[in-house]
Amino acid sequence: MFILPLRSLMRMSHNEDKPITYGDVFFVSSEVSSETISAEDASIMQSVESVALGHVPRGGPASLMQSAASQNERMGVVDTKDFATERGVTVSQVEVGGTRLVSESVGGEVVAQYIYPSGAADEERSTRYPTTGVQEDAVTVGEALEAVALKPEGNKPIEQSDAAAIQAAEARATGRSEVVPGGVGAEAQCAASINAQTDDKTTLRDVLKDATSKLIEDKAAKREDAEGVVGAEIRNTLDLATHPGGVAASITTASDLNEF
C-alpha cells in the first residue's frame, strides 16, 4: 500500500507540552492544522475506514490519529472539542484498471490518499480491528448505525421513519423482537416523539454516535437485515422511499461490503 501525503510523526516522540494537532500529522490548511487530535476523532476515522473499506489500513490515518491521541492523553492535553465529530470524516475509493485509489478527508480536507495494487486490498482486509462476537472481516449492524452519525446525514433530525429503521436494526442485531429498554431503538423513538413537538431537534448523530455500545448484542450485517431495515423505514415515510445516506442505506452498504 502506497500512502500520500503524510507528515513525519517525529514530534510525537518529543516531550512537549503542546498537543499534537492535525498539522503535525497531515498536510492540511491552517484552519485544520491547529486542531488537536482527540481519541474520539481517531475512533471516528477507524469506524469510517471499517465501514467504507472493510478494514483499517496499516499505517493509515486512523492508526496515526490513534497514536497522536494517545500521546496527547499521556501529556494531559486532551481537547474537549472533537473536531472530526463536528466537521465530519469521509473515505472514498475508486477502481481504475485493477488499482484502487482511496482518499480520506477530515473536515472536507484530504489528509491521505493511497493506492492498492491489484490483490493488495484483500491482504489488507485481514488487519481490520476485530469486533467481539462477529467474524473478523464483517461490518456489524452497530458499526453501520454509527457510520450514519459520521456523515453529513447525521445532522438530520430524527423522524418516525428513522426511529422505525433504528428499532428494526437493533432487533436484527440482538435477535429480540421487543424494544430493549434503554437501547438505541428506545432512545430513537423517544427522540422522534419529542422532535415532533419542539424546535430543538435531536439528530441522528446524537443517538447513533455510540450505537455499538448501546446494543446488548451485535452481529455482522446481512442482506436479510438490510431488507428488514429498508422495509421498516419506507413503511413510515409518505413517499415510501428511504432517506439518502440514512439508516437503511447504511445497513444496506454494510451488508454489501460483507458479501464482497
Side-chain angles (χ1 to χ4, degrees):
M1 180 178 69
F2 181 65
I3 301 181
L4 290 172
L6 304 179
R7 282 192 185 279
S8 168
L9 295 186
M10 187 177 298
R11 263 212 59 209
M12 295 174 61
S13 64
H14 293 175
N15 183 18
E16 299 185 12
D17 294 331
K18 293 183 178 180
I20 297 171
T21 66
Y22 282 93
D24 295 320
V25 181
F26 306 109
F27 287 102
V28 289
S29 71
S30 57
E31 179 184 3
V32 177
S33 64
S34 62
E35 297 291 339
T36 300
I37 299 177
S38 70
E40 181 68 18
D41 290 347
S43 178
I44 287 174
M45 181 62 83
Q46 178 181 315
S47 295
V48 174
E49 286 180 347
S50 294
V51 172
L53 305 177
H55 70 286
V56 175
R58 289 190 295 259
S63 63
L64 296 178
M65 289 168 64
Q66 183 59 60
S67 297
S70 296
Q71 181 73 2
N72 284 338
E73 290 182 338
R74 284 194 294 270
M75 292 190 296
V77 290
V78 179
D79 195 338
T80 57
K81 177 183 177 182
D82 298 319
F83 180 74
T85 301
E86 296 181 0
R87 299 290 293 273
V89 169
T90 59
V91 176
S92 61
Q93 55 185 322
V94 61
E95 295 281 351
V96 180
T99 298
R100 181 186 300 182
L101 172 63
V102 179
S103 296
E104 301 196 28
S105 302
V106 176
E109 286 206 40
V110 175
V111 296
Q113 291 182 315
Y114 44 96
I115 299 171
Y116 288 115
S118 181
D122 292 334
E123 179 181 351
E124 283 284 329
R125 286 176 66 88
S126 64
T127 67
R128 184 180 178 277
Y129 289 77
T131 303
T132 303
V134 299
Q135 64 192 70
E136 185 176 344
D137 286 336
V139 180
T140 70
V141 172
E143 289 171 335
L145 290 175
E146 289 183 351
V148 179
L150 308 178
K151 299 184 295 184
E153 288 79 6
N155 290 320
K156 177 184 180 295
I158 291 183
E159 303 172 7
Q160 182 57 45
S161 56
D162 302 310
I166 293 169
Q167 288 178 344
E170 182 179 48
R172 291 283 178 171
T174 63
R176 303 188 181 193
S177 58
E178 72 276 7
V179 177
V180 178
V184 66
E187 184 177 348
Q189 183 57 61
C190 179
S193 298
I194 295 175
N195 282 351
Q197 306 174 44
T198 181
D199 293 331
D200 186 14
K201 308 290 188 182
T202 298
T203 66
L204 286 168
R205 177 171 294 118
D206 294 329
V207 173
L208 297 180
K209 62 184 178 182
D210 53 356
T212 300
S213 65
K214 297 174 183 176
L215 294 174
I216 58 176
E217 295 178 55
D218 203 358
K219 57 166 283 190
K222 297 182 179 180
R223 174 60 56 185
E224 54 267 31
D225 301 321
E227 292 173 351
V229 175
V230 168
E233 188 166 298
I234 65 176
R235 284 194 299 271
N236 288 273
T237 59
L238 294 177
D239 57 359
L240 297 180
T242 60
H243 300 292
V247 175
S250 188
I251 300 295
T252 300
T253 297
S255 69
D256 289 344
L257 285 169
N258 289 342
E259 289 184 358
F260 175 72

